[in-house]
Each structure stands twice: as structure tokens, then as C-alpha cells.
């Protein structure tokens, strides 16, 4: 894919390195001259320009990109870049970085954002994921589809511990996409048994989260969740 990244700070460069290593064509757009350091990601194309300027994006041929990543440390800039990428250049996929939690509500399809990544929310989710057993933890929200990436770590008392995946009656709009077991990442098959301590990763719509919680952890998990 051809991918444009607005912002060549630590976050932008790190994303660029990963994408280049995965074989993608990457363009970094940075407006601060001292931050333009091609030697740090030599395989990427570097452009000194303001990604909030329409003419700059036209010169960068943004319409040829499959994905735009708004990765600056300024939420206002990331919103403008996202909106321009979607409305002016019809970029199929726009991913935006959220720096301040109070701004999360802005990062939606109206601003051209397909996927938003909130650093504060992600850090909080990772803390919860590390210490929570027997609860559903939301890791990420996919704005365009209104679906979430969630994780449940199975306690010994979970009703389907010892059962194969095929026995788990997941609702519609919910999919088990991975099982994390120790250092292993398993792509679940119907015959895989669930074990205590497994971290189950689902893609699920918001309205089905409680249903998934009830199926995986038991009905008691819902009633206890609603207690003040």
C-alpha cells in the first residue's frame, strides 16, 4: 500500500519504520524543518510541508494513497488532516492519533476518521488488560463500523473452560479473532479448547458487548457489573 503519515515525530517515525519493514510505500509529511531527518527512515519518502495546507497535500499527490495516518502531537492538526484526506482526496482509510482524552468525541466519521487511536485510552486499557481477570476490557474502537476490539481473560470459573470453541454460542456481530496463551498467539479453530488464563480477543459491536460478557463469563458477570 501507499501510506502517507502526517507528523515525523517519534510516533510517526515508528509507524513509518514498521510499515516500511512490512513492504509498504511510506511518505512522511513534516512541517518543521529540524524534524525532517531522512536518515532515520531512509526507505520512506520525506516531504517538508504543512499537512493542513490543501496545496501541500495536492503536491504530495495524497489522492494516490491507500491510507493516511494523522500522527502529530496536536489533535487540531490531526482532525484537519483527516478531514482533508477524506473529503478532498477520497482516501479510503484514515487513521488518526488522539492525544487528549477529552477530544475523543470529535474523532468520528464526520471529521473523516475511520479509525482513531487514543493514547490515554489505550494506555488505560493496557493497564486494565494486564490486571483484569474475569472482565471485558475494551482495547480499541473502530469508528466507521461501530465495533470494538475487546479482551477477556478467562478465570477458572468461566463456563466454557475446557470446552472447544465450537461450543461457545457467540451472538451475531461478535467474532473471536485470537487466543493469547502464554507467549503464543492462536488463530482459533472450532476444535481448540479454551483454558483458564486464556486471553480471548474479540471484535464486537458495542450493543453486543454485554451479551459476549454473559456468554464467556456467565450471567452473574452482568448482574455484578450493574451493581453500584
Amino acid at each position: 500500500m501507499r501510506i502517507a503519515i502526517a507528523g515525523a515525530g517519534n510516533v510517526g517515525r515508528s509507524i513509518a519504520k514498521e510499515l516500511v519493514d512490512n513492504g509498504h510505500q511510506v511518505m512522511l509529511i513534516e512541517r518543521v524543518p529540524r524534524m525532517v531527518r531522512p536518515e532515520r527512515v531512509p526507505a520512506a519518502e520525506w516531504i517538508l510541508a504543512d499537512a493542513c495546507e490543501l496545496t501541500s497535500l495536492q503536491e504530495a499527490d495524497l489522492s494516490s494513497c491507500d491510507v493516511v495516518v494523522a500522527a502529530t502531537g496536536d489533535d487540531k492538526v490531526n482532525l484537519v488532516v483527516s478531514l482533508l484526506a477524506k473529503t478532498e482526496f477520497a482516501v479510503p482509510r484514515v487513521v488518526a492519533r488522539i492525544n487528549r482524552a477529552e477530544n475523543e468525541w470529535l474523532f468520528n466519521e464526520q471529521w473523516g476518521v475511520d479509525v482513531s487511536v487514543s493514547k490515554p485510552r489505550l494506555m488505560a486499557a493496557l493497564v486494565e488488560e494486564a490486571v483484569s481477570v474475569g472482565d471485558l476490557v475494551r482495547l480499541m474502537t473502530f469508528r466507521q463500523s461501530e465495533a470494538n476490539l475487546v479482551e477477556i481473560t478467562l478465570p477458572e470459573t468461566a463456563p466454557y473452560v475446557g470446552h472447544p470453541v465450537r461450543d461457545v454460542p457467540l451472538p451475531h456481530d461478535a467474532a473471536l479473532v485470537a487466543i493469547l496463551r502464554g507467549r503464543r498467539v492462536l488463530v482459533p479453530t472450532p476444535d481448540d479448547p479454551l483454558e483458564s488464563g486464556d486471553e480471548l480477543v474479540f471484535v464486537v459491536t458495542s450493543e453486543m458487548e454485554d451479551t459476549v460478557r454473559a456468554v464467556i463469563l456467565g450471567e452473574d458477570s452482568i448482574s455484578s457489573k450493574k451493581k453500584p
Side-chain angles (χ1 to χ4, degrees), residues 6-7 29-31 49-54 56-57 72 77 80-81 84:
I29 305 172
E30 174 59 53
R31 66 181 180 86
D50 187 343
C52 291
E53 292 288 341
L54 186 59
S56 297
L57 298 180
T72 79
V77 171
V80 172
V81 171
L84 289 175

Side-chain angles (χ1 to χ4, degrees), residues 49-139:
D50 187 343
C52 291
E53 292 288 341
L54 186 59
T55 54
S56 297
L57 298 180
Q58 288 172 337
E59 292 174 2
D61 194 19
L62 207 70
S63 60
S64 68
C65 291
D66 302 291
V67 182
V68 165
V69 182
T72 79
D74 187 325
D75 284 346
K76 296 188 294 296
V77 171
N78 291 342
L79 283 172
V80 172
V81 171
S82 298
L83 186 62
L84 289 175
K86 185 64 70 175
T87 61
E88 298 294 331
F89 299 95
V91 175
R93 192 75 163 167
V94 177
V95 180
R97 168 189 177 186
I98 304 174
N99 296 279
R100 299 180 65 85
E102 61 266 29
N103 294 330
E104 286 185 12
W105 65 279
L106 287 166
F107 285 75
N108 55 35
E109 65 279 357
Q110 293 181 344
W111 279 93
V113 178
D114 295 310
V115 178
S116 62
V117 181
S118 170
K119 290 178 63 182
R121 181 179 293 277
L122 184 57
M123 291 181 70
L126 290 173
V127 170
E128 287 187 302
E129 187 271 336
V131 300
S132 296
V133 175
D135 198 7
L136 182 148
V137 178
R138 184 180 296 177
L139 300 176

Side-chain angles (χ1 to χ4, degrees), residues 133-136 155 157 210 213-214 217-228:
V133 175
D135 198 7
L136 182 148
T157 55
D210 280 347
R213 182 187 284 111
L217 299 173
E219 292 290 343
D220 290 345
S221 66
I222 298 299
S223 57
S224 62
K225 189 74 175 177
K226 293 181 178 178
K227 290 180 180 179

Side-chain angles (χ1 to χ4, degrees), residues 6 17 22 26 31 45 47 80 82 88 99-100 110 131-132 138 145-146 156 161 165 177 180 184 186 222 225:
K17 288 177 182 176
N22 289 336
V26 177
R31 66 181 180 86
E45 176 185 358
I47 295 178
V80 172
S82 298
E88 298 294 331
N99 296 279
R100 299 180 65 85
Q110 293 181 344
V131 300
S132 296
R138 184 180 296 177
S145 62
E146 298 182 357
E156 294 180 358
V161 167
V165 169
V177 295
L180 310 183
R184 300 175 62 199
L186 306 177
I222 298 299
K225 189 74 175 177

Side-chain angles (χ1 to χ4, degrees), residues 132-136 151-164 167-169 193-200 202 212-221:
S132 296
V133 175
D135 198 7
L136 182 148
E151 182 269 351
I152 299 176
T153 299
L154 291 181
E156 294 180 358
T157 55
Y160 289 97
V161 167
H163 291 253
D167 288 354
V168 182
L194 300 180
E195 299 181 3
S196 172
D198 280 353
E199 297 177 51
L200 307 184
F202 299 89
V212 170
R213 182 187 284 111
V215 168
I216 301 300
L217 299 173
E219 292 290 343
D220 290 345
S221 66

